[in-house]
Amino acid sequence: MKTKKLNNIAITLILIAIAVSTRLMVPEHQQWNFTGTGSVLLFATYYFKNSKFNYLLPVIIMFISDLFLVFFYNIPYQSPINYLAFLSYVLMSSHFISKIKIKNIALAGVSGATLFYLISNFLVWFQTGIAGGEYTLTFGGLIHCYIKGLYPFHINQLIADFSFSFIIFGVYDIAITIAKNLSASKKSSRFTS
């Protein structure tokens, strides 16, 4: 029991480190959405099945990385709505990823990124519309905001989700396979001795 708890803590810390470090890798490009955050949330939701912690993880990741971005790079905090928009990844992972299959992970990643894009761009449209900025509070202004958000924001987020998911899920799948093989070889050597 203790080993499982320690493994879970270690995996949580590794996932947080991946998400935070990828948000900080190139701060001047951070707004372009090429980070591992979505993939980390997809994997965490798969790994910690039915855990309420999965709903807290996006807030922890965003808060920690925002502290670094504000302190070291003077980049302002994300809106709390963006924190919550990352919950789309948790919802999509719990819906699509019951087994590690490329199709399941791709569906969850595309769905999570698209929901995030729709929510966050709606927020941008609304905030700039109220402030009298680039997007007017009209249907045309909303469509204009969505079109401008496609590239680089949404496209980069999709590419990042595929890239980081391939690495994270792949490393996990390889580690599980190696652990099973080692366990099977230990059992067989016990019987042959």
Side-chain angles (χ1 to χ4, degrees), residues 139-178:
F139 183 71
L142 178 62
I143 297 303
H144 181 231
C145 183
Y146 279 127
I147 290 170
K148 283 197 76 174
L150 277 174
Y151 181 80
F153 301 103
H154 186 52
I155 299 299
N156 281 352
Q157 192 163 5
L158 288 170
I159 294 168
D161 287 348
F162 281 111
S163 305
F164 286 106
S165 292
F166 178 77
I167 294 167
I168 294 168
F169 280 95
V171 167
Y172 174 75
D173 200 39
I174 291 168
I176 292 298
T177 302
I178 290 170

Short mmCIF file of all heavy atoms in Angstrom, two decimals, residues 139-178:
data_model
loop_
_atom_site.label_atom_id
_atom_site.label_comp_id
_atom_site.label_asym_id
_atom_site.label_seq_id
_atom_site.Cartn_x
_atom_site.Cartn_y
_atom_site.Cartn_z
N PHE A 139 -22.04 38.62 -33.12
CA PHE A 139 -21.76 37.28 -33.62
C PHE A 139 -20.56 37.32 -34.58
O PHE A 139 -19.69 36.45 -34.55
CB PHE A 139 -22.99 36.70 -34.32
CG PHE A 139 -22.79 35.30 -34.80
CD1 PHE A 139 -22.70 34.25 -33.91
CD2 PHE A 139 -22.67 35.03 -36.16
CE1 PHE A 139 -22.50 32.96 -34.35
CE2 PHE A 139 -22.47 33.74 -36.62
CZ PHE A 139 -22.39 32.69 -35.71
N GLY A 140 -20.48 38.35 -35.40
CA GLY A 140 -19.35 38.52 -36.31
C GLY A 140 -18.04 38.68 -35.56
O GLY A 140 -17.01 38.14 -35.97
N GLY A 141 -18.08 39.43 -34.46
CA GLY A 141 -16.88 39.59 -33.62
C GLY A 141 -16.44 38.27 -33.01
O GLY A 141 -15.23 37.98 -32.93
N LEU A 142 -17.40 37.46 -32.60
CA LEU A 142 -17.09 36.14 -32.04
C LEU A 142 -16.44 35.24 -33.09
O LEU A 142 -15.42 34.60 -32.84
CB LEU A 142 -18.36 35.49 -31.49
CG LEU A 142 -18.22 34.08 -30.91
CD1 LEU A 142 -17.27 34.07 -29.72
CD2 LEU A 142 -19.59 33.53 -30.52
N ILE A 143 -17.01 35.22 -34.29
CA ILE A 143 -16.46 34.39 -35.38
C ILE A 143 -15.05 34.87 -35.73
O ILE A 143 -14.14 34.07 -35.93
CB ILE A 143 -17.39 34.43 -36.63
CG1 ILE A 143 -18.76 33.83 -36.29
CG2 ILE A 143 -16.74 33.72 -37.81
CD1 ILE A 143 -18.71 32.41 -35.76
N HIS A 144 -14.86 36.20 -35.78
CA HIS A 144 -13.54 36.77 -36.06
C HIS A 144 -12.53 36.30 -35.01
O HIS A 144 -11.39 35.92 -35.34
CB HIS A 144 -13.65 38.30 -36.10
CG HIS A 144 -12.37 38.99 -36.41
ND1 HIS A 144 -11.89 40.01 -35.63
CD2 HIS A 144 -11.45 38.80 -37.39
CE1 HIS A 144 -10.73 40.42 -36.13
NE2 HIS A 144 -10.45 39.70 -37.19
N CYS A 145 -12.93 36.29 -33.75
CA CYS A 145 -12.06 35.85 -32.66
C CYS A 145 -11.71 34.37 -32.81
O CYS A 145 -10.55 33.97 -32.64
CB CYS A 145 -12.74 36.10 -31.32
SG CYS A 145 -11.72 35.68 -29.91
N TYR A 146 -12.70 33.55 -33.16
CA TYR A 146 -12.43 32.11 -33.35
C TYR A 146 -11.49 31.87 -34.54
O TYR A 146 -10.60 31.04 -34.47
CB TYR A 146 -13.74 31.34 -33.53
CG TYR A 146 -14.43 31.02 -32.23
CD1 TYR A 146 -15.76 31.36 -32.03
CD2 TYR A 146 -13.76 30.38 -31.19
CE1 TYR A 146 -16.40 31.07 -30.84
CE2 TYR A 146 -14.38 30.09 -29.99
CZ TYR A 146 -15.70 30.44 -29.82
OH TYR A 146 -16.33 30.15 -28.63
N ILE A 147 -11.69 32.61 -35.60
CA ILE A 147 -10.83 32.44 -36.78
C ILE A 147 -9.39 32.83 -36.44
O ILE A 147 -8.45 32.12 -36.78
CB ILE A 147 -11.37 33.24 -37.99
CG1 ILE A 147 -12.67 32.59 -38.49
CG2 ILE A 147 -10.34 33.34 -39.10
CD1 ILE A 147 -13.43 33.41 -39.51
N LYS A 148 -9.21 33.96 -35.75
CA LYS A 148 -7.86 34.40 -35.39
C LYS A 148 -7.19 33.46 -34.39
O LYS A 148 -5.97 33.39 -34.32
CB LYS A 148 -7.89 35.82 -34.84
CG LYS A 148 -8.06 36.84 -35.96
CD LYS A 148 -7.70 38.21 -35.53
CE LYS A 148 -6.21 38.36 -35.47
NZ LYS A 148 -5.78 39.72 -35.19
N GLY A 149 -7.98 32.72 -33.64
CA GLY A 149 -7.42 31.80 -32.65
C GLY A 149 -7.04 30.44 -33.21
O GLY A 149 -6.37 29.65 -32.53
N LEU A 150 -7.46 30.16 -34.46
CA LEU A 150 -7.14 28.85 -35.04
C LEU A 150 -5.63 28.64 -35.14
O LEU A 150 -5.10 27.60 -34.73
CB LEU A 150 -7.78 28.70 -36.42
CG LEU A 150 -9.23 28.26 -36.41
CD1 LEU A 150 -9.78 28.29 -37.83
CD2 LEU A 150 -9.38 26.88 -35.81
N TYR A 151 -4.95 29.60 -35.75
CA TYR A 151 -3.50 29.49 -35.86
C TYR A 151 -2.88 30.76 -35.33
O TYR A 151 -3.30 31.84 -35.72
CB TYR A 151 -3.05 29.27 -37.32
CG TYR A 151 -1.56 29.15 -37.41
CD1 TYR A 151 -0.94 27.94 -37.11
CD2 TYR A 151 -0.77 30.24 -37.72
CE1 TYR A 151 0.43 27.83 -37.14
CE2 TYR A 151 0.61 30.13 -37.75
CZ TYR A 151 1.21 28.92 -37.46
OH TYR A 151 2.56 28.82 -37.48
N PRO A 152 -1.95 30.67 -34.42
CA PRO A 152 -1.22 29.47 -34.01
C PRO A 152 -1.81 28.76 -32.80
O PRO A 152 -1.40 27.64 -32.50
CB PRO A 152 0.16 30.02 -33.68
CG PRO A 152 -0.11 31.38 -33.11
CD PRO A 152 -1.31 31.88 -33.89
N PHE A 153 -2.76 29.35 -32.09
CA PHE A 153 -3.18 28.84 -30.80
C PHE A 153 -3.75 27.42 -30.84
O PHE A 153 -3.21 26.50 -30.23
CB PHE A 153 -4.18 29.80 -30.14
CG PHE A 153 -3.62 31.18 -29.95
CD1 PHE A 153 -3.98 32.21 -30.79
CD2 PHE A 153 -2.71 31.44 -28.94
CE1 PHE A 153 -3.46 33.48 -30.62
CE2 PHE A 153 -2.17 32.70 -28.75
CZ PHE A 153 -2.55 33.72 -29.61
N HIS A 154 -4.85 27.22 -31.55
CA HIS A 154 -5.52 25.91 -31.55
C HIS A 154 -4.66 24.86 -32.26
O HIS A 154 -4.51 23.73 -31.78
CB HIS A 154 -6.90 26.01 -32.20
CG HIS A 154 -7.69 24.76 -32.12
ND1 HIS A 154 -7.90 24.07 -30.95
CD2 HIS A 154 -8.33 24.04 -33.08
CE1 HIS A 154 -8.63 22.99 -31.18
NE2 HIS A 154 -8.90 22.95 -32.48
N ILE A 155 -4.09 25.21 -33.38
CA ILE A 155 -3.26 24.26 -34.14
C ILE A 155 -2.06 23.82 -33.29
O ILE A 155 -1.75 22.62 -33.20
CB ILE A 155 -2.78 24.87 -35.48
CG1 ILE A 155 -3.97 25.23 -36.37
CG2 ILE A 155 -1.79 23.95 -36.18
CD1 ILE A 155 -4.85 24.07 -36.77
N ASN A 156 -1.38 24.77 -32.65
CA ASN A 156 -0.23 24.43 -31.80
C ASN A 156 -0.64 23.55 -30.62
O ASN A 156 0.10 22.66 -30.22
CB ASN A 156 0.48 25.68 -31.30
CG ASN A 156 1.38 26.27 -32.36
OD1 ASN A 156 1.60 25.69 -33.42
ND2 ASN A 156 1.91 27.44 -32.07
N GLN A 157 -1.81 23.82 -30.08
CA GLN A 157 -2.28 23.02 -28.96
C GLN A 157 -2.54 21.57 -29.40
O GLN A 157 -2.19 20.62 -28.70
CB GLN A 157 -3.55 23.62 -28.35
CG GLN A 157 -3.93 23.02 -27.03
CD GLN A 157 -4.92 23.89 -26.28
OE1 GLN A 157 -5.41 24.89 -26.78
NE2 GLN A 157 -5.22 23.49 -25.06
N LEU A 158 -3.11 21.41 -30.57
CA LEU A 158 -3.34 20.06 -31.10
C LEU A 158 -2.02 19.33 -31.35
O LEU A 158 -1.86 18.16 -30.98
CB LEU A 158 -4.15 20.12 -32.41
CG LEU A 158 -5.62 20.50 -32.26
CD1 LEU A 158 -6.22 20.77 -33.64
CD2 LEU A 158 -6.39 19.41 -31.54
N ILE A 159 -1.06 20.02 -31.96
CA ILE A 159 0.25 19.40 -32.22
C ILE A 159 0.93 19.03 -30.90
O ILE A 159 1.49 17.93 -30.76
CB ILE A 159 1.14 20.35 -33.06
CG1 ILE A 159 0.54 20.53 -34.46
CG2 ILE A 159 2.56 19.82 -33.15
CD1 ILE A 159 1.17 21.66 -35.26
N ALA A 160 0.88 19.92 -29.93
CA ALA A 160 1.48 19.64 -28.62
C ALA A 160 0.80 18.45 -27.96
O ALA A 160 1.47 17.58 -27.39
CB ALA A 160 1.39 20.87 -27.73
N ASP A 161 -0.53 18.40 -28.03
CA ASP A 161 -1.25 17.29 -27.41
C ASP A 161 -0.85 15.95 -28.03
O ASP A 161 -0.63 14.97 -27.31
CB ASP A 161 -2.77 17.49 -27.52
CG ASP A 161 -3.28 18.57 -26.59
OD1 ASP A 161 -2.52 19.02 -25.71
OD2 ASP A 161 -4.44 18.99 -26.76
N PHE A 162 -0.75 15.91 -29.35
CA PHE A 162 -0.33 14.66 -30.00
C PHE A 162 1.10 14.30 -29.61
O PHE A 162 1.40 13.16 -29.28
CB PHE A 162 -0.46 14.75 -31.53
CG PHE A 162 -1.86 14.58 -32.01
CD1 PHE A 162 -2.56 15.63 -32.56
CD2 PHE A 162 -2.52 13.35 -31.91
CE1 PHE A 162 -3.86 15.48 -33.01
CE2 PHE A 162 -3.82 13.18 -32.35
CZ PHE A 162 -4.49 14.26 -32.90
N SER A 163 1.99 15.28 -29.64
CA SER A 163 3.41 15.03 -29.36
C SER A 163 3.62 14.56 -27.92
O SER A 163 4.24 13.52 -27.67
CB SER A 163 4.24 16.30 -29.60
OG SER A 163 4.04 16.77 -30.90
N PHE A 164 3.14 15.35 -26.97
CA PHE A 164 3.36 15.02 -25.56
C PHE A 164 2.59 13.77 -25.14
O PHE A 164 3.08 12.99 -24.33
CB PHE A 164 3.02 16.21 -24.66
CG PHE A 164 4.04 17.31 -24.72
CD1 PHE A 164 3.76 18.49 -25.39
CD2 PHE A 164 5.28 17.17 -24.13
CE1 PHE A 164 4.69 19.51 -25.45
CE2 PHE A 164 6.23 18.17 -24.18
CZ PHE A 164 5.94 19.35 -24.85
N SER A 165 1.40 13.56 -25.69
CA SER A 165 0.64 12.35 -25.36
C SER A 165 1.37 11.11 -25.85
O SER A 165 1.43 10.10 -25.15
CB SER A 165 -0.77 12.40 -25.96
OG SER A 165 -1.54 13.39 -25.34
N PHE A 166 1.93 11.19 -27.06
CA PHE A 166 2.68 10.07 -27.59
C PHE A 166 3.83 9.72 -26.65
O PHE A 166 4.07 8.54 -26.34
CB PHE A 166 3.21 10.42 -28.99
CG PHE A 166 4.05 9.35 -29.62
CD1 PHE A 166 3.45 8.22 -30.17
CD2 PHE A 166 5.43 9.45 -29.64
CE1 PHE A 166 4.23 7.22 -30.76
CE2 PHE A 166 6.21 8.47 -30.22
CZ PHE A 166 5.61 7.34 -30.77
N ILE A 167 4.53 10.72 -26.16
CA ILE A 167 5.67 10.49 -25.26
C ILE A 167 5.20 9.97 -23.91
O ILE A 167 5.69 8.94 -23.41
CB ILE A 167 6.51 11.78 -25.09
CG1 ILE A 167 7.16 12.16 -26.42
CG2 ILE A 167 7.55 11.63 -23.99
CD1 ILE A 167 7.73 13.57 -26.45
N ILE A 168 4.25 10.66 -23.27
CA ILE A 168 3.83 10.30 -21.91
C ILE A 168 3.17 8.92 -21.88
O ILE A 168 3.55 8.06 -21.07
CB ILE A 168 2.89 11.38 -21.33
CG1 ILE A 168 3.64 12.70 -21.14
CG2 ILE A 168 2.28 10.91 -20.01
CD1 ILE A 168 2.76 13.90 -20.85
N PHE A 169 2.18 8.72 -22.73
CA PHE A 169 1.50 7.42 -22.75
C PHE A 169 2.46 6.32 -23.22
O PHE A 169 2.40 5.19 -22.74
CB PHE A 169 0.25 7.46 -23.63
CG PHE A 169 -0.94 8.08 -22.97
CD1 PHE A 169 -1.23 9.42 -23.15
CD2 PHE A 169 -1.78 7.33 -22.17
CE1 PHE A 169 -2.33 10.01 -22.55
CE2 PHE A 169 -2.89 7.89 -21.57
CZ PHE A 169 -3.17 9.24 -21.75
N GLY A 170 3.33 6.65 -24.18
CA GLY A 170 4.28 5.67 -24.69
C GLY A 170 5.27 5.21 -23.63
O GLY A 170 5.51 4.01 -23.45
N VAL A 171 5.85 6.16 -22.89
CA VAL A 171 6.78 5.82 -21.81
C VAL A 171 6.07 4.98 -20.75
O VAL A 171 6.62 3.97 -20.27
CB VAL A 171 7.41 7.10 -21.19
CG1 VAL A 171 8.11 6.80 -19.88
CG2 VAL A 171 8.36 7.74 -22.19
N TYR A 172 4.86 5.36 -20.41
CA TYR A 172 4.10 4.59 -19.41
C TYR A 172 3.83 3.17 -19.90
O TYR A 172 4.03 2.21 -19.16
CB TYR A 172 2.78 5.31 -19.10
CG TYR A 172 1.88 4.51 -18.18
CD1 TYR A 172 2.15 4.43 -16.83
CD2 TYR A 172 0.76 3.85 -18.68
CE1 TYR A 172 1.33 3.70 -15.98
CE2 TYR A 172 -0.06 3.12 -17.85
CZ TYR A 172 0.23 3.05 -16.49
OH TYR A 172 -0.58 2.32 -15.66
N ASP A 173 3.41 3.03 -21.14
CA ASP A 173 3.11 1.71 -21.70
C ASP A 173 4.37 0.83 -21.74
O ASP A 173 4.32 -0.35 -21.40
CB ASP A 173 2.50 1.86 -23.09
CG ASP A 173 1.73 0.62 -23.52
OD1 ASP A 173 1.04 0.02 -22.68
OD2 ASP A 173 1.83 0.26 -24.71
N ILE A 174 5.49 1.42 -22.13
CA ILE A 174 6.76 0.67 -22.14
C ILE A 174 7.15 0.26 -20.73
O ILE A 174 7.56 -0.88 -20.49
CB ILE A 174 7.87 1.51 -22.82
CG1 ILE A 174 7.59 1.64 -24.32
CG2 ILE A 174 9.25 0.90 -22.56
CD1 ILE A 174 8.45 2.68 -25.02
N ALA A 175 7.02 1.17 -19.76
CA ALA A 175 7.37 0.87 -18.37
C ALA A 175 6.51 -0.27 -17.82
O ALA A 175 7.01 -1.17 -17.13
CB ALA A 175 7.22 2.11 -17.50
N ILE A 176 5.21 -0.25 -18.12
CA ILE A 176 4.31 -1.31 -17.67
C ILE A 176 4.71 -2.65 -18.30
O ILE A 176 4.74 -3.68 -17.62
CB ILE A 176 2.84 -0.96 -18.00
CG1 ILE A 176 2.38 0.22 -17.15
CG2 ILE A 176 1.92 -2.15 -17.81
CD1 ILE A 176 2.41 -0.02 -15.66
N THR A 177 5.02 -2.64 -19.58
CA THR A 177 5.43 -3.86 -20.27
C THR A 177 6.71 -4.42 -19.66
O THR A 177 6.81 -5.63 -19.41
CB THR A 177 5.62 -3.60 -21.78
OG1 THR A 177 4.40 -3.08 -22.32
CG2 THR A 177 6.01 -4.85 -22.52
N ILE A 178 7.69 -3.58 -19.41
CA ILE A 178 8.95 -4.01 -18.81
C ILE A 178 8.70 -4.57 -17.40
O ILE A 178 9.24 -5.63 -17.04
CB ILE A 178 9.97 -2.85 -18.76
CG1 ILE A 178 10.45 -2.52 -20.18
CG2 ILE A 178 11.16 -3.19 -17.86
CD1 ILE A 178 11.27 -1.25 -20.29
#
